[in-house]
Amino acid sequence: MRLILLMVLAALLSGCGYNQIQQKDEAVKAGWSEVLNQYKRRADLIPNLVNTVKGYSSHEQQVLTQVTEARARVGQVNVNADDPASLASFQQAQGELSSALQRLMVVVENYPNLKADQAFLDLQTQLEGTENRITVARGRYIQVVQDYNTYIRSFPQNLVAMVFGYKPKPNFTVEDERAIQQAPTVDFGQAPAAPQQQPPPQPAN
Protein backbone atom coordinates (compact mmCIF):
# COMPACT_ATOMS: atom_id res chain seq x y z
CA MET A 1 0.00 0.00 0.00
CA ARG A 2 2.82 2.38 0.90
CA LEU A 3 4.54 1.67 -2.40
CA ILE A 4 1.34 2.45 -4.28
CA LEU A 5 0.97 5.78 -2.48
CA LEU A 6 4.55 6.69 -3.33
CA MET A 7 3.96 5.83 -6.97
CA VAL A 8 0.79 7.94 -7.06
CA LEU A 9 2.60 10.85 -5.39
CA ALA A 10 5.47 10.58 -7.88
CA ALA A 11 3.03 10.60 -10.79
CA LEU A 12 1.25 13.66 -9.39
CA LEU A 13 4.51 15.53 -8.90
CA SER A 14 5.69 14.66 -12.38
CA GLY A 15 2.41 15.80 -13.88
CA CYS A 16 2.59 19.10 -12.00
CA GLY A 17 6.03 19.91 -13.35
CA TYR A 18 8.32 18.84 -10.51
CA ASN A 19 10.75 17.04 -12.81
CA GLN A 20 10.77 19.96 -15.24
CA ILE A 21 11.55 22.36 -12.42
CA GLN A 22 14.57 20.22 -11.53
CA GLN A 23 15.75 20.20 -15.13
CA LYS A 24 15.36 23.95 -15.55
CA ASP A 25 17.03 24.64 -12.22
CA GLU A 26 20.02 22.55 -13.29
CA ALA A 27 20.12 24.41 -16.61
CA VAL A 28 20.34 27.70 -14.71
CA LYS A 29 23.18 26.36 -12.56
CA ALA A 30 25.07 25.14 -15.61
CA GLY A 31 24.54 28.47 -17.38
CA TRP A 32 25.86 30.39 -14.39
CA SER A 33 28.93 28.15 -14.14
CA GLU A 34 29.74 28.96 -17.76
CA VAL A 35 29.36 32.71 -17.11
CA LEU A 36 31.82 32.47 -14.21
CA ASN A 37 34.17 30.33 -16.27
CA GLN A 38 34.41 32.90 -19.06
CA TYR A 39 34.84 35.83 -16.66
CA LYS A 40 37.64 33.92 -14.91
CA ARG A 41 39.26 33.31 -18.29
CA ARG A 42 39.31 37.07 -18.87
CA ALA A 43 40.68 37.75 -15.40
CA ASP A 44 43.48 35.23 -15.97
CA LEU A 45 44.55 37.05 -19.14
CA ILE A 46 44.84 40.47 -17.50
CA PRO A 47 48.16 40.06 -15.58
CA ASN A 48 50.01 39.08 -18.76
CA LEU A 49 48.28 41.87 -20.65
CA VAL A 50 49.27 44.48 -18.06
CA ASN A 51 52.87 43.24 -17.89
CA THR A 52 53.21 43.31 -21.67
CA VAL A 53 51.88 46.85 -21.91
CA LYS A 54 54.07 47.92 -18.99
CA GLY A 55 57.15 46.78 -20.90
CA TYR A 56 56.45 49.39 -23.57
CA SER A 57 54.74 52.13 -21.60
CA SER A 58 55.78 52.06 -17.97
CA HIS A 59 54.85 55.73 -17.55
CA GLU A 60 51.17 54.89 -18.18
CA GLN A 61 51.04 53.80 -14.57
CA GLN A 62 47.63 55.25 -13.78
CA VAL A 63 45.80 53.23 -16.43
CA LEU A 64 47.73 50.06 -15.61
CA THR A 65 46.93 50.49 -11.93
CA GLN A 66 43.24 51.00 -12.68
CA VAL A 67 43.10 47.72 -14.59
CA THR A 68 44.94 45.84 -11.86
CA GLU A 69 42.75 47.27 -9.10
CA ALA A 70 39.55 46.58 -11.05
CA ARG A 71 40.63 42.97 -11.51
CA ALA A 72 41.34 42.69 -7.78
CA ARG A 73 37.87 44.00 -6.93
CA VAL A 74 36.31 41.39 -9.21
CA GLY A 75 38.18 38.69 -7.33
CA GLN A 76 36.92 39.98 -3.99
CA VAL A 77 33.24 39.66 -4.93
CA ASN A 78 31.79 36.50 -3.37
CA VAL A 79 28.89 36.23 -5.78
CA ASN A 80 25.68 34.33 -5.12
CA ALA A 81 23.59 34.26 -8.27
CA ASP A 82 20.42 33.63 -6.25
CA ASP A 83 20.87 36.88 -4.30
CA PRO A 84 19.88 40.03 -6.26
CA ALA A 85 22.24 42.30 -4.26
CA SER A 86 25.16 39.92 -4.74
CA LEU A 87 24.49 39.64 -8.47
CA ALA A 88 24.29 43.44 -8.75
CA SER A 89 27.67 43.80 -7.00
CA PHE A 90 29.13 41.24 -9.38
CA GLN A 91 27.77 43.13 -12.39
CA GLN A 92 29.18 46.42 -11.11
CA ALA A 93 32.63 44.96 -10.51
CA GLN A 94 32.74 43.35 -13.95
CA GLY A 95 31.55 46.59 -15.55
CA GLU A 96 34.33 48.55 -13.85
CA LEU A 97 36.87 46.04 -15.15
CA SER A 98 35.47 46.34 -18.68
CA SER A 99 35.75 50.15 -18.48
CA ALA A 100 39.34 49.92 -17.25
CA LEU A 101 40.23 47.59 -20.12
CA GLN A 102 38.69 50.00 -22.62
CA ARG A 103 40.83 52.85 -21.23
CA LEU A 104 43.87 50.62 -21.61
CA MET A 105 42.96 50.01 -25.25
CA VAL A 106 43.03 53.75 -25.90
CA VAL A 107 46.51 53.98 -24.38
CA VAL A 108 47.79 51.11 -26.53
CA GLU A 109 47.03 53.07 -29.71
CA ASN A 110 49.95 55.36 -28.86
CA TYR A 111 52.51 52.54 -29.04
CA PRO A 112 52.97 51.10 -32.54
CA ASN A 113 55.81 48.82 -31.40
CA LEU A 114 53.56 47.30 -28.76
CA LYS A 115 50.82 46.62 -31.29
CA ALA A 116 53.37 44.75 -33.42
CA ASP A 117 54.64 42.59 -30.54
CA GLN A 118 53.74 38.93 -31.16
CA ALA A 119 53.08 38.19 -27.49
CA PHE A 120 50.70 41.11 -27.38
CA LEU A 121 48.99 40.03 -30.58
CA ASP A 122 48.42 36.59 -29.04
CA LEU A 123 46.89 38.20 -25.96
CA GLN A 124 44.71 40.36 -28.19
CA THR A 125 43.35 37.28 -29.95
CA GLN A 126 42.65 35.51 -26.67
CA LEU A 127 40.95 38.57 -25.20
CA GLU A 128 38.77 39.03 -28.27
CA GLY A 129 37.67 35.42 -28.09
CA THR A 130 36.99 35.68 -24.37
CA GLU A 131 34.85 38.79 -24.73
CA ASN A 132 32.78 37.00 -27.34
CA ARG A 133 32.42 33.94 -25.11
CA ILE A 134 31.32 36.15 -22.22
CA THR A 135 28.61 37.68 -24.40
CA VAL A 136 27.36 34.26 -25.50
CA ALA A 137 27.45 32.80 -21.98
CA ARG A 138 25.59 35.75 -20.47
CA GLY A 139 23.00 35.70 -23.23
CA ARG A 140 22.33 32.01 -22.67
CA TYR A 141 22.12 32.55 -18.92
CA ILE A 142 19.54 35.28 -19.36
CA GLN A 143 17.45 32.93 -21.49
CA VAL A 144 17.56 29.96 -19.10
CA VAL A 145 16.73 32.16 -16.10
CA GLN A 146 13.79 33.68 -17.96
CA ASP A 147 12.61 30.21 -18.93
CA TYR A 148 12.91 28.96 -15.34
CA ASN A 149 11.18 31.99 -13.84
CA THR A 150 8.31 31.85 -16.32
CA TYR A 151 7.81 28.15 -15.71
CA ILE A 152 7.65 28.24 -11.91
CA ARG A 153 5.29 31.22 -11.99
CA SER A 154 2.82 29.38 -14.23
CA PHE A 155 -0.05 27.25 -12.90
CA PRO A 156 0.10 24.54 -11.63
CA GLN A 157 3.90 24.55 -11.38
CA ASN A 158 3.73 27.56 -9.09
CA LEU A 159 2.02 25.41 -6.45
CA VAL A 160 4.74 22.76 -6.65
CA ALA A 161 7.45 25.45 -6.56
CA MET A 162 5.86 27.02 -3.48
CA VAL A 163 5.66 23.68 -1.66
CA PHE A 164 9.30 22.82 -2.36
CA GLY A 165 10.68 26.32 -1.90
CA TYR A 166 11.64 27.14 -5.48
CA LYS A 167 11.63 30.91 -6.02
CA PRO A 168 12.25 33.15 -9.06
CA LYS A 169 15.92 33.83 -9.66
CA PRO A 170 17.44 37.28 -10.21
CA ASN A 171 18.80 38.01 -13.64
CA PHE A 172 21.09 40.55 -15.25
CA THR A 173 19.48 43.97 -15.28
CA VAL A 174 17.57 45.25 -18.29
CA GLU A 175 20.25 47.89 -18.94
CA ASP A 176 22.96 45.26 -18.73
CA GLU A 177 21.01 42.92 -21.00
CA ARG A 178 20.96 45.57 -23.71
CA ALA A 179 24.66 46.26 -23.22
CA ILE A 180 25.71 42.66 -23.84
CA GLN A 181 24.09 42.49 -27.24
CA GLN A 182 27.44 43.68 -28.60
CA ALA A 183 30.75 42.59 -27.13
CA PRO A 184 33.27 45.31 -26.23
CA THR A 185 35.58 46.14 -29.14
CA VAL A 186 39.04 44.69 -28.56
CA ASP A 187 41.09 45.86 -31.51
CA PHE A 188 44.61 46.94 -30.71
CA GLY A 189 45.72 46.81 -34.32
CA GLN A 190 43.55 49.54 -35.76
CA ALA A 191 45.33 52.86 -35.73
CA PRO A 192 43.27 55.99 -35.16
CA ALA A 193 42.29 57.75 -38.34
CA ALA A 194 44.61 60.57 -39.31
CA PRO A 195 43.02 64.00 -39.41
CA GLN A 196 42.20 65.20 -42.88
CA GLN A 197 44.38 68.01 -44.08
CA GLN A 198 42.65 71.10 -45.26
CA PRO A 199 43.79 72.53 -48.63
CA PRO A 200 45.95 75.66 -48.32
CA PRO A 201 44.08 78.92 -48.78
CA GLN A 202 44.13 80.34 -52.29
CA PRO A 203 45.83 83.74 -52.69
CA ALA A 204 43.46 86.56 -53.24
CA ASN A 205 43.28 87.94 -56.77
Side-chain angles (χ1 to χ4, degrees):
M1 183 66 180
R2 187 175 182 180
L3 179 60
I4 295 176
L5 289 175
L6 290 175
M7 292 177 63
V8 171
L9 179 60
L12 290 174
L13 289 176
S14 177
C16 291
Y18 180 82
N19 290 342
Q20 287 82 356
I21 291 176
Q22 307 307 307
Q23 294 171 0
K24 293 178 186 297
D25 186 52
E26 289 300 319
V28 171
K29 292 176 181 177
W32 180 245
S33 295
E34 184 61 16
V35 169
L36 292 180
N37 180 49
Q38 297 307 329
Y39 273 125
K40 184 180 184 301
R41 178 185 175 92
R42 181 173 73 169
D44 290 343
L45 288 172
I46 289 175
N48 288 337
L49 179 67
V50 169
N51 288 333
T52 304
V53 175
K54 188 183 297 184
Y56 286 86
S57 56
S58 58
H59 63 283
E60 302 284 1
Q61 192 60 43
Q62 180 179 3
V63 177
L64 295 171
T65 300
Q66 289 174 347
V67 173
T68 302
E69 291 178 346
R71 178 185 182 272
R73 286 192 293 272
V74 165
Q76 293 168 359
V77 176
N78 187 17
V79 61
N80 175 9
D82 291 332
D83 178 16
S86 178
L87 183 59
S89 297
F90 177 79
Q91 287 181 246
Q92 181 178 356
Q94 293 292 351
E96 291 173 355
L97 179 54
S98 294
S99 296
L101 283 172
Q102 288 172 352
R103 289 192 292 272
L104 181 62
M105 296 173 199
V106 174
V107 168
V108 167
E109 292 295 339
N110 298 322
Y111 299 92
N113 292 337
L114 170 60
K115 293 191 292 183
D117 183 275
Q118 186 58 48
F120 188 80
L121 292 176
D122 291 342
L123 286 171
Q124 171 194 348
T125 300
Q126 294 180 59
L127 188 57
E128 286 175 342
T130 299
E131 292 290 0
N132 289 331
R133 290 187 184 97
I134 288 173
T135 301
V136 172
R138 282 163 51 112
R140 288 176 177 170
Y141 181 73
I142 288 170
Q143 291 176 356
V144 294
V145 170
Q146 288 176 340
D147 180 58
Y148 169 87
N149 287 344
T150 301
Y151 190 79
I152 68 167
R153 285 171 172 161
S154 302
F155 182 84
Q157 300 90 256
N158 61 331
L159 302 178
V160 177
M162 181 175 61
V163 170
F164 289 93
Y166 288 96
K167 299 179 180 179
K169 298 179 182 293
N171 209 340
F172 290 113
T173 62
V174 175
E175 292 78 8
D176 202 47
E177 184 178 347
R178 284 199 298 265
I180 70 168
Q181 298 303 316
Q182 182 175 358
T185 301
V186 184
D187 186 359
F188 300 108
Q190 183 178 359
Q196 294 183 351
Q197 295 183 351
Q198 299 294 329
Q202 298 295 326
N205 292 329

